[in-house]
Amino acid sequence: MATSQTLARESALSVSEVKRRKVVGAHLLLLPAYLWLGLFFLFPLLIIVYYSLTVRGPLGASEAAFTLEHYARLWDPLYARILWRSLWLAIATTLITIVLAYPFAYALARAPQRWKTSLLLLSVIPFWTNFLIRTYAWMVILRSNGLVNAVLSSLGLIQEPLSLLFTPGAVLLGLVYGFLPFMILPIYAAIDRLDPSLLEAAADLGAKPWQTFVQVTLPLTAPGIAAGVLLVFVPALGMFVIPDLMGGAKVTLIGNLIQNQFLSARNWQFGSAASVVLMALVVLGLRLYKRFFRLEGVF
Amino acid sequence: MRRRGLRVAAGLYVALIFLFLYLPIGILVLFSFNRSRLSTVWTGFTLDWYRELFSDYAIWLATSNSLIVGLASALISTIIGTMAAFALHRYSFRGKALFESLLQLPIVIPEIVMGVSLLAFFVLINMPLGVHTVTIAHVAFNISFVTVVVRARLYSFDTTLEEAAMDLGANRWQTFFRVTLPLIAPGVLAGFLIALTLSLDDFIIAFFTAGVGSTTLPMQVYSMMRFGVTPKVNALSTLILAVVIAIGVIGQFALRGKKERDPQADLAG
């Protein structure tokens, strides 16, 4: 920027004038993003906040009268149970994927060099494949005339097909299967960056392998786990596809509740209140999480 | 002795997780070639389900909708996102931190909330739902991803190259199109590809913002799955998997080849 020509031109201007022009330039570059995000992201969010706080008229439209009844209704045991179930399924999914992914990522990062590229490619492929397709793969296996039941009945272990699909267990399995790749990759990246000489130093200083792991490896790879938690917990909390396909009507989560209120029940005010609560849970959770883990780089 | 045992255990564990990840997909692919419509027993090889798929007009329409939305939203979000990345990289100004948090919101907010809020918005302004509304929605979440990717690329950008160009008499536009853009092109391309992938992959937001006749491919897949497990859905899933894996593997190798011939790395090295 400091070319001889522009420098000569700009030296004629006061410093504050140059600064002002630069700021104007920045905002001009940002203008399309401002407009798009403002109109098609922030404004729509404000609309649902408005709907969630207004009275539902006889035809379903919002009337300009303030109410908290839609939020109060979420405390009804029927809906409170849905909120609670969504929360614990998301937490369980996150914990199970950490436990499964960590040793796997560790082994992968410490694999011999000639294997590493292919192993890494094999773990990235599920990351790319579509969620719906991976959920469907389990429907093929678990349905009443699916593979598991076929094998069990041909072995004579069962007379009647087990109902494996449409249970909370199936939904949890689907969530773990769907999100495992999202936990593996960030943890792998963190372990792969770990300097092996630190581990050697710990061993040289007399630390036992488990001490080295707890006191050196784990703290240094925690950002990887933290990033994985964000990639798993947030989408798991709002998920409605897996409970819809693998839980049938039996396992309703907050995502299904929102979908139903908007598309079937057509109570947009109540659906908006559920959306605002979900959004608040995520945003507040992230703030606390960021403070707790002192995360700066990750979101 | 103990080390060796540990290594065998680690190998077994890795194999087990891979089995968990791939077995369901393998079974899905296998049964797309099975002759029987209902049974889980292998009754012989057939390509009938693929033939049925290729003669299904709805699937062709959904595929073309997905491609239109994907390319259009990737193009628009790449332009807007690259501009934003430049502004954030080059300038500091009041409200920058605020804008950065705004930019992160579409990444962290649950997709279903974005979906219903956009549906409420389009209904409020009386805009009929169609391919254009899905495109608008996809641009809204893609801008953030493109900005992050392009900005990461700008960190390694050497600004003295621009200064050299201007010293040699190029004006701002010439410098941008002949020096800056070619150098950051890999980052911009990466942003475009991520936007395209996210758009083609998205089901939730499209589900709420698409109308009659603008069904995207993931929506088509979903509605077929809801009717139950059929070999035709297996065949469609297999084809999508094959395309995604092929693009991914080619991309991976192309990227590696590129890295070795990276002009900036050459300059830096």
Side-chain angles (χ1 to χ4, degrees):
Chain A
M1 249 146 279
T3 70
S4 47
Q5 290 166 359
T6 48
L7 209 65
R9 228 181 304 131
E10 281 171 3
S11 61
L13 302 165
S14 68
V15 177
S16 65
E17 175 64 15
V18 172
K19 219 171 172 182
R20 201 186 60 78
R21 281 196 180 184
K22 276 194 167 174
V23 169
V24 169
H27 287 297
L28 274 179
L29 280 173
L30 286 171
L31 191 65
Y34 285 146
L35 289 177
W36 207 287
L37 291 176
L39 195 58
F40 302 123
F41 177 69
L42 280 185
F43 183 56
L45 289 182
L46 288 178
I47 294 173
I48 60 164
V49 172
Y50 173 77
Y51 281 161
S52 76
L53 292 169
T54 47
V55 174
R56 182 172 189 261
L59 293 170
S62 265
E63 286 172 358
F66 176 80
T67 179
L68 283 174
E69 60 172 322
H70 310 300
Y71 289 97
R73 203 170 149 203
L74 283 171
W75 287 105
D76 182 294
L78 177 67
Y79 300 115
R81 204 177 302 139
I82 292 176
L83 274 176
W84 181 240
R85 189 188 293 141
S86 313
L87 207 59
W88 85 253
L89 268 175
I91 293 172
T93 304
T94 310
L95 291 178
I96 295 172
T97 51
I98 293 175
V99 170
L100 289 178
Y102 200 95
F104 178 77
Y106 196 91
L108 220 59
R110 293 282 175 269
Q113 205 58 45
R114 64 203 151 94
W115 289 89
K116 225 167 153 177
T117 320
S118 339
L119 288 177
L120 193 61
L121 191 63
L122 274 178
S123 4
V124 175
I125 287 172
F127 191 83
W128 293 329
T129 50
N130 188 282
F131 230 96
L132 291 168
I133 292 175
R134 292 195 292 135
T135 307
Y136 176 74
W138 278 102
M139 292 170 69
V140 175
I141 295 173
L142 295 179
R143 71 197 163 119
S144 59
N145 54 348
L147 208 67
V148 174
N149 277 313
V151 170
L152 288 178
S153 71
S154 72
L155 290 174
L157 290 171
I158 51 168
Q159 255 70 54
E160 301 253 300
L162 300 173
S163 45
L164 301 165
L165 210 57
F166 310 131
T167 58
V171 174
L172 185 61
L173 176 70
L175 288 168
V176 168
Y177 184 72
F179 288 113
L180 186 59
F182 293 78
M183 190 60 88
I184 290 174
L185 288 185
I187 295 183
Y188 168 82
I191 297 175
D192 198 43
R193 271 198 305 268
L194 191 68
D195 186 354
S197 60
L198 290 172
L199 306 182
E200 285 164 24
D204 284 346
L205 292 169
K208 296 199 174 64
W210 65 268
Q211 284 175 320
T212 311
F213 180 75
V214 172
Q215 294 184 5
V216 181
T217 312
L218 210 51
L220 285 175
T221 52
I225 302 177
V229 169
L230 289 184
L231 290 176
V232 173
F233 181 75
V234 174
L237 195 59
M239 176 52 71
F240 80 92
V241 175
I242 292 177
D244 196 40
L245 290 173
M246 292 183 77
K250 285 183 194 157
V251 191
T252 316
L253 302 187
I254 186 166
N256 308 86
L257 175 69
I258 296 171
Q259 181 210 349
N260 275 330
Q261 293 304 322
F262 269 89
L263 299 182
S264 317
R266 301 200 71 81
N267 187 342
W268 287 21
Q269 288 75 15
F270 184 48
S272 295
S275 305
V276 172
V277 168
L278 174 61
M279 193 161 61
L281 273 177
V282 168
V283 172
L284 277 175
L286 286 181
R287 296 222 111 188
L288 283 176
Y289 186 75
K290 227 160 115 175
R291 185 165 304 171
F292 188 71
F293 283 96
R294 295 205 180 78
L295 289 175
E296 286 314 316
V298 211
F299 299 110
Chain B
M1 215 33 220
R2 207 170 144 217
R3 275 198 80 92
R4 208 189 139 149
L6 208 65
R7 206 173 301 156
V8 171
L12 271 177
Y13 184 72
V14 168
L16 233 110
I17 293 283
F18 274 135
L19 198 68
F20 175 62
L21 288 174
Y22 280 94
L23 192 66
I25 297 177
I27 291 167
L28 167 91
V29 171
L30 183 70
F31 280 101
S32 73
F33 299 107
N34 191 15
R35 190 162 290 156
S36 160
R37 179 182 284 275
L38 292 169
S39 159
T40 37
V41 182
W42 184 259
T43 52
F45 180 86
T46 181
L47 286 174
D48 285 354
W49 312 118
Y50 288 89
R51 242 167 254 135
E52 206 176 287
L53 207 61
F54 280 111
S55 56
D56 189 337
Y57 173 71
I59 288 171
W60 285 108
L61 181 68
T63 309
S64 97
N65 282 338
S66 267
L67 286 174
I68 293 170
V69 170
L71 291 171
S73 70
L75 188 70
I76 299 171
S77 57
T78 303
I79 295 171
I80 298 179
T82 304
M83 287 169 73
F86 256 91
L88 292 174
H89 179 70
R90 292 271 162 96
Y91 306 104
S92 57
F93 49 89
R94 209 184 309 161
K96 186 176 175 180
L98 193 71
F99 180 75
E100 284 179 310
S101 356
L102 165 67
L103 209 55
Q104 283 169 0
L105 274 182
I107 300 179
V108 295
I109 275 189
E111 283 171 279
I112 188 168
V113 175
M114 241 178 120
V116 295
S117 67
L118 278 159
L119 170 64
F121 170 74
F122 291 133
V123 169
L124 185 77
I125 63 166
N126 268 327
M127 188 184 269
L129 300 178
V131 171
H132 57 286
T133 46
V134 186
T135 307
I136 287 173
H138 281 187
V139 173
F141 75 73
N142 271 334
I143 289 175
S144 306
F145 289 96
V146 173
T147 309
V148 169
V149 170
V150 175
R151 204 176 168 194
R153 181 78 196 179
L154 287 174
Y155 278 118
S156 61
F157 181 77
D158 184 358
T159 43
T160 55
L161 293 172
E162 285 183 334
E163 288 166 19
M166 290 203 263
D167 279 345
L168 293 169
N171 63 31
R172 269 170 199 277
W173 288 106
Q174 286 170 326
T175 307
F176 179 77
F177 282 106
R178 292 202 179 163
V179 178
T180 317
L181 201 57
L183 279 174
I184 62 158
V188 176
L189 186 66
F192 178 85
L193 289 178
I194 282 189
L196 182 64
T197 315
L198 289 173
S199 170
L200 292 179
D201 206 44
D202 167 70
F203 163 70
I204 298 176
I205 292 174
F207 182 70
F208 288 101
T209 52
V212 183
S214 56
T215 303
T216 62
L217 193 57
M219 289 171 70
Q220 181 69 30
V221 170
Y222 177 76
S223 68
M224 286 166 78
M225 282 174 185
R226 289 211 63 184
F227 276 108
V229 174
T230 67
K232 196 176 159 189
V233 187
N234 288 33
L236 180 56
S237 304
T238 303
L239 280 181
I240 296 175
L241 282 174
V243 171
V244 168
I245 292 172
I247 292 175
V249 172
I250 292 168
Q252 200 84 347
F253 281 106
L255 218 73
R256 197 164 311 141
K258 195 101 194 171
K259 243 180 215 162
E260 279 154 21
R261 284 177 279 109
D262 191 329
Q264 280 216 310
D266 286 350
L267 287 169

